């Protein structure tokens, strides 16, 4: 290593010395191909290549000890890669050239051997460069290149070790190097297993991105690639969508995966991810179906994911460059601007609706296009009526036939899309609007109209009607026609009169028979005169008989049309659904009019006690919605709602609970009073004596009711019914966020529920409470004080939890960190204008008092650690003095060395000890001067998240109240050198920037010259 430039005798002036080649390779402007050709020419002419190998490695080592991605170093690495790849021999040459091939591969094998021997070096820079060179060497070989099996196994083993390196950059290069060593067809491939392990568990997003870029999709790897679309880092999600678009066929994904990719991708919080889905994933899928959008919709099962399909279509339409592109696939419209009824499918009707909504959203720009897509309102009304009228009604036996059931469900889906198209029609013309209203009324009255379409029909009907009074009147008439339709009814007949007519008819028939017999006798006796009289008598009796028979038949068919009240569950469900939709569409400030009150009394309240669960559930929804329009109505039926939340079926209990929460959100916990009052705390203020004894009793009763409601809601948090527990937690979170409830106990219950391992699988609950805690604590100082009060309640519950309780598995340190972050003054959205004692100061006093309660308790160590995380005000004042006295008492009581050290450090901070500050600064300076390996190891240990126990919810916290340095971010986020940088306070001049840039550039020539001179 310590020798100077060597000179090897050879012919030709074009041959370069190795060291000179390395010097030139550092410069980007040099042609590396010429350098490679010249150096290879020299290598080929040598008989003994050992000395060349040694000198080449000596020069290469100068680049391998530098960790930073300097341009000069990167140029050298590229040069070495190209030089080594130049010795590759094509595979398709003749067999007799195998010996020459082995000679040519001698350098390549030697370089690989050197790199594999160096991959276990202590220096992370050397390990990084080794993996980088192996990656570039394998990547530069041709597609059909071959290397020795033993060498391949050695490379594989070395890279499998390096993918577990503690430095992210080393893991990245090792993962990239194994890209050509993986075997997707082998289920036991070690490379695939290592990739899957990195994708699942590596904390560095750049490592996950590197694995995503090179992993081969297969049956075993596809689920893991798909899972990365939900990664916490935007860049990883973006690359995952790109990989799925470029490498995975549409048929390889299940319908659920396709829908999930589109739904989550197009609704991602990052615009870059949405753009990738629009510009990469959707065009790739469209190419696989030959650009047929309807075929793509067919592969998404639009009946079960209509909204996702509409969002997807809007994304496709947004990429259209002209109106002709939008109209070229106009879903097969005929000259009437309608799809023939026989040709309606789920895909084309959804495409039609999505296109019309997209064009309508363009405003005036889309009016001309919309006229080409939709007919007049009157024509569409007849078209809608003709289709909905043809929807089949299934009997109980037919419902068991899945084929018929699927057919009816398809008809209902198509009908739903056609109803939604009503919102895109131009109803400004009076005639068309009236016809549409009349058709919608007729459809609602039809007996075969499905219940699933009732709410949507009422919504569109009330949307067309502009006056609230008219809306109420029209819907009430429809409900009356459905509930009491006009049916033919037979009138009751008097039995005595009926029998009298029957007897008389029988007498006439007997008389006719006797007259006919006498007529025959007269004819036989030739008494023709008497026969003529009998014949006339018979004729009269026949007329009387016909008259009596006609009267009897008329009395049997005496049927009149009249209204008949129906009380079957299907009819009641239709009426209640219309009623609920009407209440939703009405202005809440309007109140309850007589018509609405009549509906409540005659329809809703009787249905609350109906034996059918679906009817009862819809009645509760109607009652809860109606109660929002009138506080008196809410007061009247509050007890009923409370009873239902505890006694009925789970689904009905949840509906009643939602109605109750809505009332509390609108009117507050003082719902029983005539006027709203301020927010009620769990510990209400003392009553006013001047109100008198009667007012006192009323107020006590009011408070008792409030406490009963809170107790009931608190009990629901422990319910075994998951949906009821989640709905209660969400309702309490809303009430606390809106300021209707101020209760540290309930807040503690919610936080413990969030951490409880029992709720680990309840994603809705976890998501709701996670968002609530952040928003609630940041909203105001008062909310932070409530969080502070709940700290000790929560910690005591966790510390006192028995071993058999799931709460015993919760990481208490993580919970304490979360409280510190939630109460941090800088977390407030609008910090207080007047700075006084912060919430952290009050929390510190509480923690100190808790420590003094029992200084020997095992949780004292965690409390002391919590004190070190707080941002405590160091300005002199009563709070500072009180805290110092408490800390002094703690030092006398606590014997643990760690706790004593933390308390002393905190006292020094409060005293403003300059020596302590300078010592701290010196210590930080010393840490910055440590070796790179030590520095990155320390950073990794500090920033590495603790492994959560089952049910633990992690919080992103910053210890000691300081922000992460730029070096920390670089270590986790990028493939660059982790060098701390201090932003300049003043913008430097151009000359200063050029000088600084020159200083940062690495030049290997100086190092090589220094080594040569030293020899």
């Amino acid at each position: 290593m310590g020798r100077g430039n060597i000179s090897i005798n050879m012919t030709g002036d074009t041959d370069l010395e190795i060291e000179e080649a390395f010097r030139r390779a550092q410069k980007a402007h040099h042609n590396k191909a010429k350098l490679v050709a010249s150096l290879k020419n020299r290598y080929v002419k040598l008989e003994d290549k050992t000395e060349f190998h040694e000198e080449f490695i000596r020069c290469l080592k100068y680049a391998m000890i530098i960790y930073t991605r300097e341009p000069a170093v990167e140029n050298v690495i590229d040069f070495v890669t190209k030089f080594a790849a130049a010795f590759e021999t094509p595979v398709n040459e003749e067999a007799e050239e195998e010996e020459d091939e082995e000679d040519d591969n001698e350098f390549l094998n030697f370089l690989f051997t050197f790199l594999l021997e160096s991959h276990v070096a202590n220096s992370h820079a050397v390990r990084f460069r080794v993996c980088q060179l192996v990656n570039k060497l394998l990547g530069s070989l041709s597609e059909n290149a071959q290397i020795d099996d033993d060498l391949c196994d050695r490379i594989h083993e070395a890279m499998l070790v390096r993918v577990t390196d503690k430095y992210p950059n080393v893991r990245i290069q090792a993962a990239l190097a194994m890209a050509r060593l993986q075997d997707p067809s082998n289920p036991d491939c070690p490379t695939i297993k290592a990739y899957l392990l990195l994708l699942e568990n590596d904390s560095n997003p750049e490592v996950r991105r590197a694995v995503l870029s090179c992993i081969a999709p297969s049956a075993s790897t596809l689920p893991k690639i798909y899972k990365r679309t939900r990664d916490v880092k935007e860049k990883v999600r973006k690359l995952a969508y790109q990989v799925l678009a470029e490498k995975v066929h549409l048929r390889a994904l299940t319908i659920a995966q396709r829908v999930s990719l589109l739904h989550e991708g197009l609704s991602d919080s990052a615009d870059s991810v949405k753009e990738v889905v629009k510009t990469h994933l959707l065009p790739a899928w469209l190419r696989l179906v030959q650009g047929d959008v309807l075929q793509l919709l067919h592969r998404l099962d639009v009946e079960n994911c209509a909204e996702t399909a509409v969002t997807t279509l809007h994304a496709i339409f947004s990429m259209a460059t002209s109106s002709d592109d939008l109209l070229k696939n106009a879903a097969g419209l005929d000259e009437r601007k309608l799809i023939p009824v026989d040709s309606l499918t789920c895909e084309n009707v959804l495409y039609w609706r999505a296109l019309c909504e997209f064009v309508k959203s363009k405003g005036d720009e889309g009016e001309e296009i919309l006229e080409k897509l939709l007919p007049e309102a009157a024509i569409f009304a007849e078209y809608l009526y003709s289709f909905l009228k043809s929807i089949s009604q299934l009997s109980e036996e037919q419902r068991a036939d899945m084929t018929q059931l699927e057919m009816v469900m398809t008809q209902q889906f198509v009908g739903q899309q056609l109803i939604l198209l009503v919102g895109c029609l131009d109803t400004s013309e009076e005639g068309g609007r009236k016809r549409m209203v009349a058709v919608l009324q007729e459809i609602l009255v039809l007996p075969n109209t499905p219940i699933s379409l009732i709410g949507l029909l009422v919504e569109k009907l009330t949307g067309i009607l502009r006056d609230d009074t008219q809306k109420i009147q029209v819907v009430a008439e429809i409900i009356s026609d459905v509930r009491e339709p006009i049916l033919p009814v037979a009138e009751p007949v008097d039995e005595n009169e009926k029998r009298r007519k029957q007897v008389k008819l029988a007498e006439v028939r007997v008389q006719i028979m006797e007259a006919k017999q006498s007529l025959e006798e007269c004819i036989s006796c030739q008494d023709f005169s008497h026969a003529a009289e009998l014949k006339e008598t018979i004729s009269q009796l026949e007329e009387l008989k016909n008259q009596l028979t006609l009267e009897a038949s008329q009395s049997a068919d005496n049927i009149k049309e009249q209204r008949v009240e129906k009380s079957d569950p299907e009819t009641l469900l239709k009426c209640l659904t219309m009623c609920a939709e009407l209440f939703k569409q009405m202005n809440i400030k309007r109140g309850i009019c007589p018509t609405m009150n009549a509906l409540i009394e005659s329809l809703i309240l009787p249905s609350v006690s109906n034996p059918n669960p679906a009817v009862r559930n819809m009645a509760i929804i109607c009652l809860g919605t109606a109660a929002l329009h009138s506080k008196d109505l809410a007061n009247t039926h509050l007890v009923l709602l409370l009873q239902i939340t505890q006694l009925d079926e789970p689904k009905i209990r949840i509906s009643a609970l939602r109605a109750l929460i809505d009332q509390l959100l609108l009117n507050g916990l003082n719902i029983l009073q005539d006027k709203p009052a301020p927010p009620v705390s769990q510990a209400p203020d003392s009553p006013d004596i001047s109100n008198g004894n009667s007012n006192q009793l009323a107020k006590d009763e009011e408070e008792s009711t409030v406490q009963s409601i809170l107790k009931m809601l608190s009990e629901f948090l422990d319910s075994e019914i998951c949906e009821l527990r989640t709905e209660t937690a969400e309702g309490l979170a809303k009430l606390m966020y809106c300021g209707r409830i101020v209760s540290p106990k309930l807040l503690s219950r919610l936080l413990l529920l969030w951490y409880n391992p029992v709720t680990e699988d309840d994603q809705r609950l976890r998501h709701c409470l996670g968002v609530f805690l952040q928003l609630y604590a940041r909203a105001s100082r008062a909310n932070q004080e409530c969080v502070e009060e709940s700290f000790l309640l929560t910690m005591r519950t966790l510390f006192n939890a028995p071993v058999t309780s799931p709460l015993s598995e919760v990481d208490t340190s993580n919970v304490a960190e979360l409280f510190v972050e939630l109460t941090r003054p800088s977390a407030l959205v609008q910090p207080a204008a007047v700075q006084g004692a912060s919430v952290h100061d009050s929390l510190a006093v509480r923690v100190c008092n808790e420590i003094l309660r029992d200084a020997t308790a095992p949780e004292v160590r965690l409390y002391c650690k919590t004190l070190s995380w707080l941002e405590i005000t160091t300005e002199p004042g009563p709070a500072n003095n009180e805290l110092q006295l408490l800390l002094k008492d703690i030092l006398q009581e606590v014997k643990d060395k760690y706790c004593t050290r933390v308390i002393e450090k905190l006292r020094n901070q409060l005293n403003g000890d300059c020596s302590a500050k300078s010592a701290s600064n010196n210590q930080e300076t010393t840490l910055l001067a440590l070796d790179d390996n030590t520095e990155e190891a320390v950073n990794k240990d500090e920033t590495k998240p603790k492994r959560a126990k089952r049910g633990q919810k992690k919080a992103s916290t910053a210890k000691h109240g300081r922000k992460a340095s730029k070096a920390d971010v670089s270590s986790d986020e990028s493939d660059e050198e982790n060098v701390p940088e201090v932003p300049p306070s003043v913008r430097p001049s151009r000359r200063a920037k050029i000088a600084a840039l020159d200083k940062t550039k690495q030049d290997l020539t100086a190092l090589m010259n220094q080594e040569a001179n030293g020899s």
Side-chain angles (χ1 to χ4, degrees):
M1 293 292 294
R3 56 187 150 172
N5 297 337
I6 64 172
S7 178
I8 302 176
N9 295 328
M10 44 188 173
T11 59
D13 298 334
T14 59
D15 297 335
L16 282 176
E17 293 184 357
I18 299 174
E19 186 172 325
E20 181 63 25
F22 271 82
R23 284 196 178 96
R24 295 185 183 181
Q26 297 178 53
K27 309 299 180 182
H29 61 270
H30 279 288
N31 191 332
K32 291 184 178 58
K34 292 183 179 180
L35 293 177
V36 169
S38 177
L39 199 59
K40 182 180 179 182
N41 187 31
R42 174 180 179 177
Y43 180 83
V44 171
K45 293 178 182 179
L46 292 175
E47 295 182 358
D48 184 9
K49 299 179 173 56
T50 304
E51 192 172 2
F52 182 93
H53 290 167
E54 292 178 357
E55 178 64 11
F56 190 90
I57 294 301
R58 184 186 74 84
C59 296
L60 176 60
K61 285 181 178 179
Y62 289 107
M64 292 180 64
I65 61 175
I66 298 175
Y67 185 61
T68 56
R69 306 295 292 268
E70 294 292 339
V73 181
E74 297 302 316
N75 289 335
V76 169
I77 297 296
D78 290 340
F79 165 71
V80 172
T81 303
K82 292 180 180 179
F83 179 71
F87 292 94
E88 180 193 0
T89 304
V91 179
N92 57 359
E93 287 192 356
E94 299 297 332
E96 59 266 14
E97 297 185 3
E98 288 184 0
E99 296 182 0
D100 296 338
E101 182 178 344
E102 291 180 2
D103 294 338
D104 290 341
N105 286 339
E106 180 182 357
F107 178 80
L108 194 59
N109 293 335
F110 166 76
L111 184 57
F112 270 124
T113 302
F114 165 74
L115 294 175
L116 296 178
E117 292 173 352
S118 305
H119 87 90
V120 293
N122 291 332
S123 172
H124 63 283
V126 175
R127 299 198 303 272
F128 167 66
R129 293 301 176 183
V130 166
C131 295
Q132 184 186 25
L133 279 168
V134 172
N135 171 33
K136 288 183 175 291
L137 286 172
L138 292 177
S140 62
L141 299 178
S142 61
E143 185 175 353
N144 56 353
Q146 295 182 357
I147 58 176
D148 184 65
D149 291 341
D150 181 60
L151 177 61
C152 181
D153 293 340
R154 291 169 57 201
I155 294 173
H156 203 175
E157 292 174 2
M159 293 301 101
L160 285 174
V161 174
R162 292 278 66 83
V163 291
T164 61
D165 198 283
K166 71 175 182 178
Y167 284 83
N169 290 340
V170 179
R171 300 199 299 273
I172 290 172
Q173 295 300 326
L176 294 174
M178 290 196 300
R180 300 188 67 176
L181 304 178
Q182 59 182 321
D183 183 8
S185 61
N186 181 11
D188 298 325
C189 176
T191 301
I192 296 294
K193 291 183 177 179
Y195 278 167
L196 297 181
L197 188 65
L198 290 174
L199 278 179
E200 284 290 317
N201 303 316
D202 201 292
S203 60
N204 190 282
E206 293 300 326
V207 177
R208 301 197 295 272
R209 289 186 72 242
V211 175
L212 274 177
S213 65
C214 56
I215 190 171
S218 65
S220 59
T221 61
L222 183 57
K224 305 299 181 183
I225 298 174
Y226 166 76
K227 193 175 181 180
R228 286 307 100 201
T229 59
R230 301 173 181 175
D231 198 279
V232 295
K233 293 295 181 180
E234 170 188 342
K235 292 181 179 179
V236 181
R237 298 198 303 273
K238 178 180 176 182
L239 182 60
Y241 279 107
Q242 289 177 340
V243 170
L244 290 171
E246 296 170 1
K247 299 181 180 180
V248 179
H249 197 282
L250 182 61
R251 292 180 179 176
L253 300 168
T254 64
I255 293 178
Q257 288 174 335
R258 299 169 196 167
V259 174
S260 176
L261 286 174
L262 293 174
H263 173 71
E264 295 174 4
L266 293 174
S267 60
D268 196 280
S269 58
D271 292 336
S272 60
V273 177
K274 296 179 185 177
E275 193 64 25
V276 166
V277 176
K278 285 184 181 180
T279 58
H280 289 74
L281 188 66
L282 280 177
W285 286 2
L286 284 173
R287 284 194 297 271
L288 295 174
V289 294
Q290 289 77 43
D292 190 346
V293 181
L294 297 181
Q295 276 296 322
L296 178 61
L297 292 177
H298 182 69
R299 294 169 187 253
L300 295 180
D301 188 18
V302 296
E303 290 185 60
N304 297 317
C305 61
E307 294 308 314
T308 301
V310 170
T311 306
T312 302
L313 289 172
H314 286 177
I316 295 174
F317 297 150
S318 64
M319 293 186 288
T321 55
S322 63
S323 59
D324 294 336
D325 294 338
L326 293 174
L327 294 173
K328 67 180 180 181
N329 294 324
L333 299 178
D334 57 15
E335 66 279 356
R336 300 177 301 164
K337 305 174 189 175
L338 296 170
I339 301 177
V341 175
D342 297 337
S343 303
L344 281 172
T345 63
C346 296
E347 289 77 21
N348 61 15
V349 72
L350 184 72
Y351 183 93
W352 188 20
R353 169 208 156 189
L355 181 58
C356 292
E357 289 179 347
F358 177 80
V359 172
K360 187 176 179 64
S361 65
K362 296 298 181 181
D364 296 338
E365 300 177 5
E367 285 187 3
E368 183 178 352
I369 304 177
L370 194 61
E371 291 178 357
K372 300 178 182 179
L373 295 174
L374 285 174
E376 297 179 357
I379 298 176
F380 188 83
E382 300 297 335
Y383 175 75
L384 177 64
Y385 181 78
S386 63
F387 178 82
L388 294 181
K389 189 178 180 180
S390 64
I391 294 180
S392 306
Q393 265 190 322
L394 297 182
S395 61
E396 292 298 330
E397 296 179 356
Q398 292 174 330
R399 291 179 186 276
D401 187 354
M402 293 302 299
T403 304
Q404 294 189 13
L405 186 61
E406 289 178 1
M407 180 189 68
V408 172
M409 291 176 65
T410 301
Q411 290 178 338
Q412 293 181 9
F413 178 82
V414 173
Q416 181 186 19
Q417 304 308 310
L418 293 177
I419 295 170
L420 288 170
L421 270 172
V422 173
C424 299
L425 293 172
D426 181 13
T427 56
S428 58
E429 194 266 325
E430 184 68 21
R433 183 171 67 253
K434 286 184 176 181
R435 183 56 190 156
M436 179 59 73
V437 170
V439 167
L440 291 176
Q441 288 179 276
E442 292 178 20
I443 294 173
L444 285 169
V445 176
L446 285 175
N448 65 329
T449 303
I451 297 176
S452 59
L453 302 181
I454 295 294
L456 195 57
L457 286 166
V458 175
E459 178 186 345
K460 296 304 175 184
L461 176 61
T462 54
I464 297 175
L465 301 173
R466 296 181 173 85
D467 183 43
D468 285 352
T469 305
Q470 188 180 8
K471 293 178 184 179
I472 298 172
Q473 188 65 30
V474 170
V475 175
E477 290 177 358
I478 297 173
I479 293 175
S480 177
D481 292 339
V482 174
R483 182 82 186 279
E484 299 178 353
I486 299 176
L487 299 176
V489 177
E491 285 188 349
V493 181
D494 187 2
E495 291 295 331
N496 294 330
E497 182 68 20
K498 182 178 179 182
R499 179 168 291 276
R500 188 183 64 79
K501 290 182 178 180
Q502 289 177 351
V503 170
K504 188 175 181 179
L505 179 61
E507 291 177 354
V508 171
R509 287 176 178 170
V510 171
Q511 292 176 3
I512 292 175
M513 291 177 62
E514 292 176 349
K516 287 183 178 180
Q517 187 176 359
S518 301
L519 178 62
E520 291 178 359
E521 291 177 355
C522 292
I523 293 174
S524 60
C525 295
Q526 296 184 354
D527 188 0
F528 295 108
S529 60
H530 188 55
E533 292 176 0
L534 289 174
K535 189 174 182 181
E536 185 177 355
T537 303
I538 291 173
S539 299
Q540 293 176 357
L541 291 173
E542 286 288 349
E543 290 180 2
L544 181 59
K545 172 190 169 185
N546 293 336
Q547 183 179 355
L548 292 174
T549 305
L550 181 62
E551 290 179 359
S553 64
Q554 286 181 351
S555 62
D557 297 336
N558 190 12
I559 298 175
K560 294 184 179 180
E561 291 185 347
Q562 64 182 25
R563 290 190 177 274
V564 179
E565 183 175 346
K566 298 174 66 177
S567 58
D568 59 289
E570 185 175 359
T571 301
L572 291 177
L573 261 179
K574 284 185 178 181
C575 296
L576 289 170
T577 304
M578 285 188 275
C579 197
E581 193 62 39
L582 174 63
F583 286 136
K584 291 178 184 178
Q585 300 298 327
M586 297 304 301
N587 189 346
I588 199 171
K589 297 180 181 180
R590 178 182 176 85
I592 299 293
C593 65
T595 305
M596 298 169 71
N597 194 39
L599 289 174
I600 294 172
E601 295 294 334
S602 62
L603 176 63
I604 298 175
L605 292 178
S607 299
V608 171
S609 57
N610 192 282
N612 188 281
V615 175
R616 289 203 309 276
N617 185 52
M618 186 55 67
I620 294 300
I621 294 174
C622 289
L623 183 61
T625 311
L628 296 176
H629 293 261
S630 171
K631 188 175 180 180
D632 294 336
L633 184 65
N635 292 338
T636 304
H637 302 292
L638 178 63
V639 177
L640 175 62
L641 292 175
L642 290 172
Q643 291 175 346
I644 294 173
T645 56
Q646 303 176 71
L647 300 176
D648 215 316
E649 295 183 3
K651 184 178 180 181
I652 302 174
R653 293 175 64 186
I654 291 173
S655 297
L657 179 62
R658 287 174 181 168
L660 179 63
I661 295 295
D662 289 342
Q663 285 300 323
L664 298 180
L665 285 171
L666 182 64
N667 300 313
L669 289 176
N670 303 288
I671 189 173
L672 297 178
Q673 295 180 355
D674 294 333
K675 57 181 180 180
V680 176
S681 173
Q682 199 171 24
D685 297 332
S686 59
D688 188 359
I689 301 176
S690 61
N691 290 337
N693 294 332
S694 59
N695 293 340
Q696 175 64 31
L697 292 174
K699 187 169 184 179
D700 290 343
E701 183 180 354
E702 180 73 21
E703 292 171 358
S704 175
T705 305
V706 169
Q707 295 298 328
S708 299
I709 293 175
L710 293 178
K711 182 180 179 181
M712 181 195 70
L713 295 177
S714 180
E715 290 175 352
F716 285 167
L717 293 178
D718 298 325
S719 174
E720 296 180 357
I721 304 173
C722 178
E723 295 81 5
L724 183 62
R725 181 183 62 205
T726 302
E727 200 68 40
T728 305
E730 184 176 345
L732 287 173
K734 291 178 181 178
L735 290 170
M736 296 192 71
Y737 184 72
C738 295
R740 295 299 187 183
I741 296 178
V742 181
S743 174
K745 289 184 179 180
L746 282 178
L747 182 61
S748 176
R749 289 291 307 277
L750 293 178
L751 196 139
L752 289 172
L753 188 64
W754 188 47
Y755 272 101
N756 197 324
V758 174
T759 64
E760 186 175 7
D761 297 331
D762 194 344
Q763 296 183 0
R764 180 187 168 196
L765 175 66
R766 286 288 180 99
H767 177 73
C768 172
L769 292 180
V771 173
F772 159 71
L773 290 173
Q774 295 289 335
L775 295 178
Y776 179 76
R778 294 176 179 176
S780 67
R781 166 69 182 265
N783 291 354
Q784 283 193 338
E785 292 174 353
C786 183
V787 175
E788 173 219 333
E789 292 180 24
S790 65
F791 172 73
L792 290 181
L793 295 173
T794 306
M795 302 308 295
R796 288 171 184 168
T797 304
L798 292 176
F799 288 136
N800 297 330
V803 180
T804 56
S805 172
L807 292 177
S808 62
E809 303 178 18
V810 176
D811 184 4
T812 53
S813 177
N814 186 270
V815 178
E817 285 186 76
L818 176 64
F819 271 101
V820 172
E821 286 302 310
L822 293 178
T823 55
R824 198 175 295 281
S826 57
L828 287 173
V829 177
Q830 294 181 348
V834 180
Q835 296 294 335
S838 67
V839 178
H840 274 194
D841 295 342
S842 304
L843 183 58
V845 172
R846 287 180 182 272
V847 173
C848 289
N849 287 323
E850 186 69 14
I851 294 174
L852 290 173
R853 283 184 59 190
D854 186 2
T856 61
E859 58 265 21
V860 168
R861 193 179 182 91
L862 176 59
Y863 285 141
C864 290
K865 186 186 294 185
T866 304
L867 287 174
S868 67
W869 296 335
L870 297 175
E871 294 180 4
I872 301 175
T873 307
T874 57
E875 298 178 358
N880 193 323
N881 297 335
E882 180 185 2
L883 188 57
Q884 289 195 39
L885 292 175
L886 291 172
L887 293 175
K888 184 178 179 181
D889 295 339
I890 292 174
L891 284 176
Q892 296 174 356
E893 298 288 338
V894 176
K895 304 304 179 183
D896 186 81
K897 292 183 179 180
Y898 172 80
C899 297
T900 305
R901 191 163 58 248
V902 172
I903 298 301
E904 288 178 348
K905 183 178 179 181
L906 186 58
R907 286 192 66 193
N908 291 335
Q909 291 179 359
L910 293 176
N911 292 328
D913 191 351
C914 297
S915 60
K917 292 183 179 179
S918 61
S920 177
N921 292 336
N922 292 337
Q923 185 179 6
E924 291 178 2
T925 306
T926 305
L927 287 175
L928 289 176
L930 290 175
D931 181 72
D932 288 343
N933 290 338
T934 307
E935 177 186 357
E936 186 156 342
V938 171
N939 290 339
K940 183 177 180 182
D941 289 341
E942 289 182 352
T943 58
K944 182 178 179 180
K946 297 180 180 179
R947 183 176 297 276
K949 296 182 181 179
R950 184 171 63 88
Q952 173 181 323
K953 193 72 175 181
K954 295 187 178 181
S956 57
T957 58
K959 294 186 180 180
H960 309 297
R962 64 177 179 86
K963 295 183 178 179
S965 64
K966 192 169 184 179
D968 297 335
V969 177
S970 176
S971 174
D972 289 337
E973 298 295 336
S974 65
D975 193 21
E976 302 298 331
E977 171 63 3
N978 304 326
V979 180
E981 297 180 4
V982 179
S985 57
V986 182
R987 184 178 180 181
S989 64
R990 182 178 182 85
R991 183 177 299 176
K993 286 195 288 186
I994 295 175
L997 185 62
D998 291 337
K999 288 181 181 179
T1000 59
K1001 289 184 178 180
Q1002 288 281 359
D1003 191 349
L1004 300 182
T1005 305
L1007 292 174
M1008 296 169 69
N1009 290 338
Q1010 183 179 359
E1011 181 76 17
N1013 294 335
S1015 64

